[in-house]
Amino acid sequence: MAHDPGPAQGGGDDKIAQVLTPDSPTRQDGPQGAAGEGSRPPIQDYSVERVEKVYRKLDLRIIPAFWALYFLSSAIRSNIGIAQTMNTAARHDLAAVLGLSPRDTSTALALFYVSYVLFDLPSNLVMSRLSPRVWMARIVFAVGVTGTCFAAVQDAWSLKLLRFLLGVVTAGMWPGMAYYLTLFYPPSRTGKRIGMYFTASQVSAAVVGLVSAGFQQMDGLGGLVGFRWMFLLYGLCGVILGISLLWWLPDRPLAPGEERTRSWYSKWLPASPEALKGEDALVHYHDLRRVYHARSWNLRDLWNVLIDWRLWPLVMMYFGVVGVGIGTQLYGNLIISAINPNFTGVQISLLFAPIWMMDFCAILLVTPISDRFHRHRAFFFSAAVCIQIAGLLTVTFALSNPWARYGGLLMVGFGLGPTVPICMTWTNEIFQRRHREVGVAAASALVSGLGNLGSIMTTYALYTGWPEDAVKGLHQYRKSNFTMIGILCMSIASSFIMTALLQIFGNEPSQKISSSGSSAVDSNEYLDGAARREAHQRGFNRMWWSKPSKASPDA
């Protein structure tokens, strides 16, 4: 079925009619290509208020769906951590039922990130070639199916196998979401949006902890222990959500005059809903023209991204913060238990949740401001990391006061919140300008994938995986905490090195981009409405307490 964005999207709107041409090409739900080369209208400027209205409509369409899918995927990925302390008094916790040693547990946790690292880049590149909507729905569906299978695990090897497979099917979700956003928003505005749906991970961590108290009450119901009920129900919810996304998520936007031609595989699936219609679609086209006429990339373009030095400081930034984040998510309940061994399993679950509520609050507070001061990403990133370091030092040294140590964990949660969204947003900003669409797809996957080596370290080599930290007492986990402080210091150093190198070498569009006959490689094409506004930092202009200035170029 072809989609005609003319009458169907605006009922013959006069403004759209001005840019429709009889020779307008079609676009498939597959590989993107340059379109409408000779018939592109000149870029028009719209008021900031009009542009903001369009982006708010996109928020309502995209962000709730991303929040829901990330919530369930995070719950399925991390509920193995809380399963370690469920129904321990009845010896119905994960280790007791499956006969796991501490090394088995840490290996199973780490195997997820091994496969995730291996398949992150291929998954994101496939997504950029095929339909982003279909690929995202595929990921969520597969995560749900694999999560459901966890309810049937019987021993260590099946747990390890399923964790590895879960990493395979999850690979590409997080960088894919970041890439997907750049199809609808300029990079300087994605930090807030990434933060909005990233809160799902924090809420998920809190909810998994709180709801696990209920699953513990279901222990023995229907012959299943509590953690099996948890695996089963979360997995089934993921399957249902993955299917429903096909009817809700839009595919990449179409330029005025283009028709969506369905490829061979998409003919068996629901037609893609359009995110914007009528004048809204036209406003978005002129504001973010770069995504509508992106040319197809080739292996040479990909190679230029892979050898760009800008990747490695971002990978090191991500390595530290995601390693500490995953370590806290998977072992936070064990750290709380070590702080006060008298806590019951239910009390630990209830104390685990506020860590992620602090994380949630920090995301909502910091990421919108970091977008408004998008030239100072390193400052916001490093300040948040310093709060994490202070929290870990408190957990390590406040030995005489258990509640002070717990307060340190709350500080860690607050500092964790903004760091990952800021790192991914900075990656989008740098590599979309430098390498266009393939830059975003490849760099976001590499930063996420290679950065998750930090997750492998914290899940396999630290805490229960480190024999020196297995000794019970006040000093338990001290060496692991010191190691996490060390990698956080590396993240801070990397952010400032990145800032200094960008000042020295700049970040102009790469001259190595091979032309395929598309004017998209022309730097003038890249200067759409959003790019012109990005030349000015918004700061605190146009905030609720100030009157908007019509003369201001800031957006």
Side-chain angles (χ1 to χ4, degrees):
M1 290 176 59
H3 175 77
D4 183 355
Q9 288 192 346
D13 187 285
D14 290 341
K15 291 187 177 181
I16 289 188
Q18 293 173 8
V19 297
L20 295 178
T21 58
D23 58 345
S24 295
T26 60
R27 170 170 288 173
Q28 291 188 348
D29 287 338
Q32 76 277 10
E37 308 289 350
S39 58
R40 298 180 198 172
I43 295 175
Q44 301 178 26
D45 280 324
Y46 291 86
S47 68
V48 173
E49 291 77 10
R50 185 69 183 90
V51 173
E52 289 284 1
K53 183 179 178 181
V54 169
Y55 287 128
R56 283 195 296 270
K57 285 189 175 181
L58 288 172
D59 288 344
L60 293 175
R61 186 75 191 184
I62 296 171
I63 303 303
F66 271 21
W67 196 95
L69 71 88
Y70 200 55
F71 174 90
L72 278 174
S73 298
S74 297
I76 292 169
R77 179 190 67 201
S78 65
N79 56 21
I80 186 176
I82 203 69
Q84 297 177 67
T85 57
M86 291 176 62
N87 301 113
T88 52
R91 294 193 54 79
H92 286 172
D93 56 285
L94 184 73
V97 172
L98 302 186
L100 303 178
S101 67
R103 179 63 69 181
D104 287 331
T105 302
S106 60
T107 301
L109 293 174
L111 280 172
F112 169 89
Y113 298 101
V114 171
S115 56
Y116 187 92
V117 169
L118 292 174
F119 291 94
D120 223 15
L121 177 60
S123 177
N124 227 35
L125 293 178
V126 170
M127 182 178 182
S128 71
R129 286 289 194 181
L130 302 180
S131 160
R133 169 189 67 117
V134 173
W135 195 249
M136 190 61 67
R138 191 282 305 167
I139 291 175
V140 179
F141 176 81
V143 167
V145 171
T146 308
T148 303
C149 293
F150 273 88
V153 292
Q154 298 295 332
D155 44 34
W157 79 265
S158 59
L159 181 70
K160 294 173 184 177
L161 175 62
L162 281 176
R163 283 291 293 182
F164 184 85
L165 292 177
L166 185 63
V168 172
V169 298
T170 305
M173 172 181 287
W174 174 245
M177 295 163 78
Y179 161 76
Y180 185 99
L181 282 191
T182 62
L183 301 178
F184 295 93
Y185 302 92
S188 64
R189 291 176 180 266
T190 59
K192 173 184 175 181
R193 274 80 187 185
I194 292 175
M196 288 167 69
Y197 65 72
F198 188 57
T199 59
S201 178
Q202 284 61 51
V203 175
S204 174
V207 168
V208 166
L210 291 171
V211 175
S212 70
F215 283 120
Q216 290 181 70
Q217 301 302 315
M218 297 172 63
D219 189 53
L221 182 65
L224 299 179
V225 296
F227 71 79
R228 294 192 190 277
W229 279 112
M230 181 173 64
F231 291 151
L232 178 64
L233 294 180
Y234 278 125
L236 291 176
C237 288
V239 171
I240 295 170
L241 178 63
I243 296 172
S244 65
L245 288 176
L246 292 172
W247 279 269
W248 184 256
L249 280 181
D251 251 317
R252 61 166 57 245
L254 293 172
E258 286 189 63
E259 295 181 353
R260 197 182 300 279
T261 301
R262 305 184 68 182
S263 55
W264 64 269
Y265 62 86
S266 64
K267 291 179 181 179
W268 302 94
L269 301 172
S272 171
E274 299 302 330
L276 297 168
K277 299 179 181 180
E279 187 182 17
D280 289 334
L282 187 63
V283 172
H284 188 261
Y285 170 78
H286 286 291
D287 198 63
L288 204 61
R289 191 168 178 172
R290 73 193 82 165
V291 305
Y292 286 87
H293 300 293
R295 63 180 178 82
S296 181
W297 54 269
N298 55 37
L299 291 178
R300 179 182 174 186
D301 298 325
L302 177 60
W303 174 249
N304 291 332
V305 177
L306 299 180
I307 62 174
D308 195 321
W309 60 264
R310 294 161 182 81
L311 271 175
W312 303 110
L314 291 165
V315 169
M316 292 293 94
M317 289 168 58
Y318 199 88
F319 179 97
V321 295
V322 79
V324 172
I326 296 301
T328 305
Q329 187 175 36
L330 294 177
Y331 292 117
N333 55 332
L334 297 180
I335 297 173
I336 295 171
S337 178
I339 289 174
N340 188 343
N342 295 321
F343 284 143
T344 66
V346 172
Q347 287 175 321
I348 291 172
S349 296
L350 295 176
L351 290 171
F352 187 66
I355 299 173
W356 306 107
M357 290 297 97
M358 295 294 290
D359 197 314
F360 177 90
C361 293
I363 292 171
L364 296 182
L365 177 66
V366 177
T367 53
I369 301 176
S370 72
D371 271 355
R372 289 184 168 274
F373 293 91
H374 63 271
R375 296 181 183 176
H376 303 290
R377 301 284 188 194
F379 170 78
F380 290 99
F381 177 88
S382 299
V385 175
C386 286
I387 295 174
Q388 294 178 57
I389 292 174
L392 285 169
L393 289 172
T394 304
V395 172
T396 305
F397 291 108
L399 301 180
S400 61
N401 190 335
W403 291 110
R405 299 181 71 189
Y406 177 70
L409 279 179
L410 296 181
M411 292 174 63
V412 173
F414 188 88
L416 279 171
T419 52
V420 171
I422 289 174
C423 190
M424 294 303 293
T425 302
W426 206 10
T427 302
N428 288 347
E429 286 180 330
I430 292 170
F431 280 87
Q432 189 185 70
R433 176 170 176 77
R434 181 77 179 162
H435 296 285
R436 307 299 193 262
E437 190 165 308
V438 66
V440 176
S444 60
L446 287 168
V447 169
S448 171
L450 296 177
N452 263 293
L453 291 172
S455 303
I456 297 175
M457 187 187 76
T458 55
T459 54
Y460 186 74
L462 301 183
Y463 296 102
T464 58
W466 197 341
E468 289 82 354
D469 274 355
V471 180
K472 302 291 183 181
L474 291 176
H475 297 290
Q476 189 177 14
Y477 304 137
R478 170 171 286 195
K479 291 185 178 180
S480 293
N481 291 343
F482 284 157
T483 303
M484 294 216 291
I485 290 171
I487 64 175
L488 288 175
C489 290
M490 178 192 66
S491 291
I492 293 176
S494 298
S495 71
F496 283 106
I497 290 172
M498 183 67 160
T499 302
L501 291 177
L502 288 176
Q503 289 292 327
I504 296 171
F505 297 105
N507 191 50
E508 295 305 312
S510 174
Q511 299 302 312
K512 297 180 181 180
I513 297 178
S514 56
S515 176
S516 59
S518 167
S519 61
V521 297
D522 187 343
S523 61
N524 292 327
E525 178 64 37
Y526 195 70
L527 293 178
D528 48 32
R532 287 199 293 269
R533 288 196 308 279
E534 286 174 341
H536 304 274
Q537 208 165 231
R538 283 182 287 164
F540 288 119
N541 291 328
R542 297 182 177 274
M543 297 295 286
W544 60 269
W545 61 76
S546 63
K547 294 181 179 179
S549 172
K550 294 183 179 180
S552 173
D554 299 335

